[in-house]
Amino acid sequence: DNTQLRRRQQRAAVSQRLTIANMPMQTGRAKVGALSNAEVLSETMAWPSYQAAGVLTKEQLEHIYAIDKQPIDVQVSRFEAAGISYVELLSAIVSSVSKEEVTLYVLAMMDEILSAKPHVAH
């Protein structure tokens, strides 16, 4: 079934990206070291600028705000309710935005959600 295959591919892509999030962060030429999810997620992302640049639609911006900076139980609940759309949104952000801090932020967010409720990856 194509839907199941697509879901397995999306889960594999998220898993691969989560592995990347645990790699040491490079700043210029100096190696900073591994950052915790809490450190990464303490940053504020300029999501509206990505909508202005055409990377995110208004609907996608609303979806990201619905989970960003929310308590983990709220994030999990919203992710469970609309999982595929969130996977597509977060995958689009990671593949469209070349800034390392944005990639790390999205991956840290996914790691927190999957750590809280591993079954949402299924």
Side-chain angles (χ1 to χ4, degrees):
D1 180 88
N2 286 339
T3 303
Q4 289 177 337
L5 176 62
R6 193 173 105 201
R7 286 182 181 165
R8 279 194 298 262
Q9 290 171 335
Q10 289 171 337
R11 284 193 301 269
V14 168
S15 176
Q16 181 180 19
R17 289 184 184 111
L18 291 176
T19 301
I20 293 168
N22 292 320
M23 293 179 170
M25 184 174 176
Q26 298 284 337
T27 302
R29 295 178 184 221
K31 192 175 191 177
V32 175
L35 296 172
S36 70
N37 284 351
E39 291 169 317
V40 172
L41 294 171
S42 69
E43 299 297 321
T44 300
M45 295 293 109
W47 299 123
S49 68
Y50 297 109
Q51 182 193 9
V55 174
L56 297 175
T57 65
K58 181 181 178 186
E59 180 181 272
Q60 288 173 320
L61 183 64
E62 291 170 1
H63 271 78
I64 198 74
Y65 276 131
I67 61 171
D68 190 26
K69 306 292 186 200
Q70 300 298 319
I72 192 65
D73 59 322
V74 172
Q75 291 180 21
V76 168
S77 172
R78 290 182 177 152
F79 196 88
E80 286 175 321
I84 293 295
S85 64
Y86 275 109
V87 169
E88 290 170 351
L89 167 63
L90 298 175
S91 295
I93 292 170
V94 169
S95 63
S96 301
V97 178
S98 61
K99 292 185 175 186
E100 183 176 33
E101 61 269 15
V102 174
T103 300
L104 290 174
Y105 192 90
V106 168
L107 295 175
M109 195 177 346
M110 286 299 305
D111 188 44
E112 290 294 307
I113 292 168
L114 293 174
S115 293
K117 294 282 185 170
H119 77 275
V120 299
H122 299 286

